[in-house]
Amino acid sequence: MQNDVIMAGFGGQGILLIGKMLAYAGMHEGKEVSWLPSYGPEMRGGTCNCTVVISDNPVGSPVIQSPGAVLAMNLPSLEKFESDVRPGGFLLINTSLIERKAERDDVEIVEIPANTIAQDLGNARGANMVALGAYVGATGAVSLEQIEAVVRQTFAAKPSVIDVNLEALHKGYDLGREHAANSSEETAS
Amino acid sequence: MAKKLMKGAEAIGEAAVQAGCHLFFGYPITPQNEIPEYLSSRLPQVGGTFVQAESEVASINMLYGAAGAGERVMTSSSSPGISLMAEGISYCAGAKLPVVIVNIMRAGPGLGGILPSQADYFQATKGLAHGDFRVLVLAPWSIQEAADLVQDAFDLADYYRNPVMVVGDGLIGQMMEPVEFYEDRQPIKELPPKTWASTGWKRDRPKAIINSLFLDPAELEQHNIDLKKKYDLMERDEVRFATYGALDSADVVIVAYGTVARVCLSAIEALENDGIKVAMVRPITLWPFPYEAVREVASKAKDILVVELSTGQMIEDVRLALHRPRPIHFHCRLGGMLVSPEEVIDKVKAIKAGTSEEVHYA
Amino acid sequence: MPEAVFVRPDSLSDVSTHYCPGCTHGIIHRLVAEVIDELGIRERTVGVAPVGCSVLAYNYFDCDFHEAAHGRAPAVATGIKRARPDLAVFAYQGDGDLASIGMAEIVHCANRGEKVTVVFVNNAIYGMTGGQMAPTTMPGQSATTCQMGRDVETAGHPIRVAELISTLRTPAFVARASSHSPLAAVNAKEMLRRAFKYQVEGRCFSLVEVLSTCPTNWGLTPAESTEWLEKTMLPYYPLGVFKTPDGDDRAPLPRKP
């Protein structure tokens, strides 16, 4: 069993961070993980992305051409990675920053206004946590308990932000779960 | 120590510290800057010293001085920087100095690009600099292996009194994976005290002269013979490789190293599901090259495929490994582009279908 | 019982050198060795030999030594000193080694303030390779690669190393001395003594430029060479202390008009 995901967005959105948190959670669950950032001139345009692989077996290629999931946190990221998602895969679109609809019809689309949700929670910088929660909720790549533990660990030095980030994570998680439940109903019917 | 998620560059730096290396001299170059950055803050914590040198030329000569004074020392760089170090590496080899050099390879020639590449295979294994010398070349395929091999590199360098190079591509430098350091790690070789080092002479041992100059040709010939004996021992005792897949009945045997081998392993697993049997030999030491292992696995396979991030530099060693001239198939990506599992799968299928063109040679 | 009034310094090996008749490398070696003896640091001194005429210096000094690649002695000295700060480390370099191929290494070693001593022997020519033009060759001085004499229009003017290094803010003891006469040699020894002393005290980087003769490649007798140094080199390469660690200000000393 392998979960692989490309997370992409603006520099400063905390994309690399949620990628690392996901990798940590996988590692703590005893799985094999890799985290690979984009580097070089690619980073200069203000966009950044990372690839996270969580696997029961040693991770083969850490570079994934056709990921099982893409989190597109801004339009350039959607433009760049939409076509790469594996058929049947999962495409998260941050509708707060992306106005257009997905073009793919062979992948599961989850539209989440991550920034708006974060703002409503009074945590404008928590959009990345909403997206991370939604990914975990929709795919079950790692357990909620584990990713919560990593959130606590990550912000251990700033305890004041732990709860707001957990809140954002939970909100996203619920939306992701809801989506997963709906899509499995669709499959069943 | 518990497993920790670490960037390759940091793991390499920490591995050096764990191996008792308290000295690092280097010059910035992408994509390995996280190694000096990590060590610039880490070394002072253990009473060590970090110096940002004025150039790679100076860095390697600082290693020459520090190693000659008997201390474990490392530098890291990327392809163009390694070229600048060439002279100094030759001097280290000639003066029998244990130094560890990390090359996070980027695409060339010239300035090339900063993305992953394996274009320095020839440089590392055959043409590192002037003169008749060899260095051990270790090629990790994961962050854990990078950490392990860097620690081994210090033991090997001390044991053989010879430079050891660790080569990785940009993925090894940039990727994060779980790494574990073992507190009770023991040296992999029995290491005698460095009585040859220049530590101040009380006339209680021969005077230490760290030197590669031998103006008497007979003396230099003997020096060369002694060095050769050392290289022969390395070839006998230090070959490292790993094998995977259907070793006894492969349709195709792949030879690949570093992160490319991981991509190939993903392909091999997928091909197995399609009923195609593929084996792989992964050289871990690029020099000495695992000629025997490649020969043995290749003798049982119908076809041979070399996969590299260069235009086919390792093919020459694979050819040397074979009993008789045999066609070799080849797949590569260049310039910082990466090989994907899908490409390897397609290539293997093409070989099976007889539609892959072999690499021709005289 | 005869009394020894002149003996070989303990820090010099009991061997003959390969230096040409009239060459002052031997004198400078001796001055360095005497200073090492007098400071009582032979057992913890490590030298670095250059590529040039003094390439075999490791055979002449009776202490541990490194032979460096051409121009890289200051980098090698940096490595030794950083590895073993308790050692006294000196690099012995010629003008081609230090002022041409090794200019980057000497400038940055000095600028980092490495606690090492550099003995820079300037004889205005490449000796070992057979008399080619050096960065310190005088205008009009002939050499095998400027047989009509150094043309400053194409080769530029000779580099004044002591002055150049003393423009840096960090280096703290920079001096120029000469070896062409007994009196000059006494002064040179005093400069070397201060240079080593400051290092041993852990105070600063030190460099002493020592003017030297090369009768063989200058095509002069030893006596003529001494005279030539005095008449031609001294006016361009003034002797003196350019920088000391005791000055409050590390800015370069203004040169008197």
Side-chain angles (χ1 to χ4, degrees), chain B residues 104-120:
Chain B
I104 302 297
M105 294 182 280
R106 55 190 257 181
L111 266 179
I114 59 170
L115 293 172
S117 167
Q118 297 179 325
D120 301 345

Side-chain angles (χ1 to χ4, degrees), chain B residues 5 19 44 54 93 96 107 118 131 133-134 180-181 207 229 250 255 265 288 290 303 338 344 356:
Chain B
L5 203 57
E54 61 270 28
K96 298 197 284 187
Q118 297 179 325
F133 77 98
R134 296 286 197 173
E180 192 166 7
F181 290 101
K207 182 166 112 182
K229 281 182 189 157
V255 185
L265 192 59
D303 283 293
L338 295 167
V344 178
S356 162

Side-chain angles (χ1 to χ4, degrees), chain B residues 33 94 115 187 243 246 288 293 295 325 351:
Chain B
N33 291 317
L115 293 172
T243 52
R295 182 179 308 141
I351 293 170

Side-chain angles (χ1 to χ4, degrees), chain C:
Chain C
M1 187 78 181
E3 188 195 350
V5 292
F6 186 78
V7 295
R8 175 177 51 82
D10 190 37
S11 298
L12 277 188
S13 305
D14 189 7
V15 293
S16 301
T17 72
H18 70 289
Y19 298 119
C20 304
C23 167
T24 52
H25 266 306
I27 293 171
I28 301 166
H29 279 22
R30 184 182 172 97
L31 297 178
V32 170
E34 285 180 0
V35 165
I36 293 171
D37 281 5
E38 287 164 22
L39 291 174
I41 54 171
R42 191 203 63 79
E43 291 190 354
R44 58 186 179 100
T45 295
V46 175
V48 184
V51 170
C53 282
S54 46
V55 65
L56 298 175
Y58 52 78
N59 286 333
Y60 307 146
F61 286 98
D62 216 28
C63 61
D64 281 354
F65 240 84
H66 283 223
E67 166 53 38
H70 197 20
R72 318 300 172 217
V76 173
T78 299
I80 301 168
K81 189 75 182 191
R82 294 289 186 128
R84 292 288 307 273
D86 54 315
L87 298 175
V89 181
F90 75 98
Y92 189 103
Q93 298 185 264
D95 43 50
D97 196 76
L98 180 142
S100 187
I101 195 168
M103 187 57 102
E105 282 75 14
I106 187 59
V107 167
H108 288 278
C109 177
N111 197 53
R112 284 189 303 268
E114 300 293 345
K115 309 291 185 292
V116 300
T117 299
V118 175
V119 181
F120 167 47
V121 179
N122 175 4
N123 62 7
I125 201 133
Y126 278 72
M128 187 181 73
T129 47
Q132 293 84 7
M133 183 179 69
T136 53
T137 293
M138 296 303 295
Q141 180 189 344
S142 63
T144 57
T145 49
C146 57
Q147 299 185 12
M148 304 303 287
R150 180 179 185 140
D151 178 0
V152 297
E153 289 301 317
T154 55
H157 290 269
I159 295 175
R160 294 179 171 119
V161 168
E163 285 86 340
L164 187 149
I165 296 298
S166 62
T167 62
L168 299 170
R169 198 171 176 83
T170 319
F173 185 71
V174 181
R176 182 184 288 118
S178 183
S179 58
H180 71 288
S181 72
L183 193 61
V186 168
N187 173 61
K189 182 179 171 184
E190 173 58 14
M191 295 299 112
L192 290 165
R193 192 189 62 77
R194 287 178 71 180
F196 274 87
K197 187 169 158 285
Y198 291 136
Q199 178 192 171
V200 170
E201 288 170 353
R203 292 183 73 182
C204 62
F205 170 87
S206 51
L207 178 142
V208 181
E209 175 173 345
V210 186
L211 302 182
S212 167
T213 60
C214 181
T216 299
N217 288 298
W218 289 359
L220 302 171
T221 66
E224 287 166 348
S225 297
T226 325
E227 205 175 308
W228 190 85
L229 185 154
E230 201 167 308
K231 285 198 173 139
T232 318
M233 292 178 72
L234 279 187
Y236 189 81
Y237 296 119
L239 308 186
V241 176
F242 291 80
K243 216 160 195 180
T244 74
D246 298 318
D248 295 339
D249 187 7
R250 286 206 161 175
L253 299 175
R255 281 171 53 78
K256 293 201 177 85

Side-chain angles (χ1 to χ4, degrees), chain B residues 91-105:
Chain B
Y91 279 66
C92 288
K96 298 197 284 187
L97 290 180
V99 297
V100 173
I101 301 150
V102 177
N103 180 8
I104 302 297
M105 294 182 280

